[in-house]
Amino acid sequence: MTMEKDEGVRVSIPVPEAVAVSVSGRTVKVEGPKGAVERELWYPGIHIQIEQREEGNVVIVTADSSRKKIRAIAGTYVSHIRNMITGVTEGFLYRLRAVHAHFPMQIALTKDAVSISNFLGERKPRIAKVAEGVKVEIKGREIDISGVNKEAVGQTAANIEQTTRIKGYDSRVFQDGIYLVEKGADTGT
């Protein structure tokens, strides 16, 4: 039986001019024109470091082993870092639309939550939590959720969508709710 040497994993991520990336211990911090995002990324055998090159800084994600699980986690970390860079340069925007057939719902923004009143004629308003660092704008029937942290923006959109989930009624008849219609980079519109 012959054993092959483990090659490992090495992925490089180019860093744009206006972005500063720093790694201290387990924490990766990305700062850019739209803000800063900080995240703890650690797994045994996976290393994140910054390399200075003449064409610009590069974030290097390396792994000692090339096992399938290690490659998958390294790929996840690469995606997280790329999303952090996109977030601080462009930002993320999720657009939701309120749809009603039976009772017109009123959507209001409080300091850290979205309140949905008169949903299916209910007397008590439904409350959806807004994650920290996320900006919510209500324009008639549309709700724009934007921010630099993709997970926080997505979680806020999911909170609003799940708040209007209908239970106990036929979903083919009662299609009222707030639904995600668009998501992507924030182009500033």
Side-chain angles (χ1 to χ4, degrees), residues 78-126:
V78 168
S79 293
H80 283 318
I81 294 167
R82 284 188 179 139
N83 283 337
M84 292 165 75
I85 291 170
T86 302
V88 298
T89 54
E90 300 172 31
F92 293 100
L93 174 73
Y94 281 42
R95 184 165 286 142
L96 295 107
R97 185 168 293 136
V99 180
H100 62 85
H102 298 91
F103 296 94
M105 62 182 101
Q106 286 84 42
I107 305 162
L109 182 64
T110 61
K111 69 176 184 181
D112 63 340
V114 174
S115 173
I116 298 127
S117 303
N118 199 35
F119 180 70
L120 294 179
E122 296 172 345
R123 293 182 182 185
K124 186 178 174 198
R126 294 185 178 202

Side-chain angles (χ1 to χ4, degrees), residues 98-178:
V99 180
H100 62 85
H102 298 91
F103 296 94
M105 62 182 101
Q106 286 84 42
I107 305 162
L109 182 64
T110 61
K111 69 176 184 181
D112 63 340
V114 174
S115 173
I116 298 127
S117 303
N118 199 35
F119 180 70
L120 294 179
E122 296 172 345
R123 293 182 182 185
K124 186 178 174 198
R126 294 185 178 202
I127 308 294
K129 189 175 180 307
V130 175
E132 191 176 325
V134 175
K135 186 176 145 200
V136 177
E137 283 183 61
I138 300 169
K139 304 174 190 168
R141 293 274 148 231
E142 289 199 346
I143 303 169
D144 287 349
I145 304 165
S146 59
V148 295
N149 188 344
K150 186 174 188 175
E151 285 187 16
V153 172
Q155 187 60 55
T156 300
N159 289 346
I160 294 170
E161 202 171 25
Q162 288 297 308
T163 300
T164 60
R165 208 170 100 218
I166 297 173
K167 299 175 206 147
Y169 293 99
D170 188 351
S171 61
R172 296 170 296 179
V173 176
F174 292 90
Q175 296 181 356
D176 298 26
I178 299 175

Side-chain angles (χ1 to χ4, degrees), residues 4 9 11-12 15 24 28 35 41 49 64 80 84-85 94 98-99 122 131 139 168 174 176:
E4 290 183 19
V9 178
V11 181
S12 60
V15 178
S24 60
V28 177
L41 299 174
Q49 57 210 23
D64 304 334
H80 283 318
M84 292 165 75
I85 291 170
Y94 281 42
V99 180
E122 296 172 345
K139 304 174 190 168
F174 292 90
D176 298 26

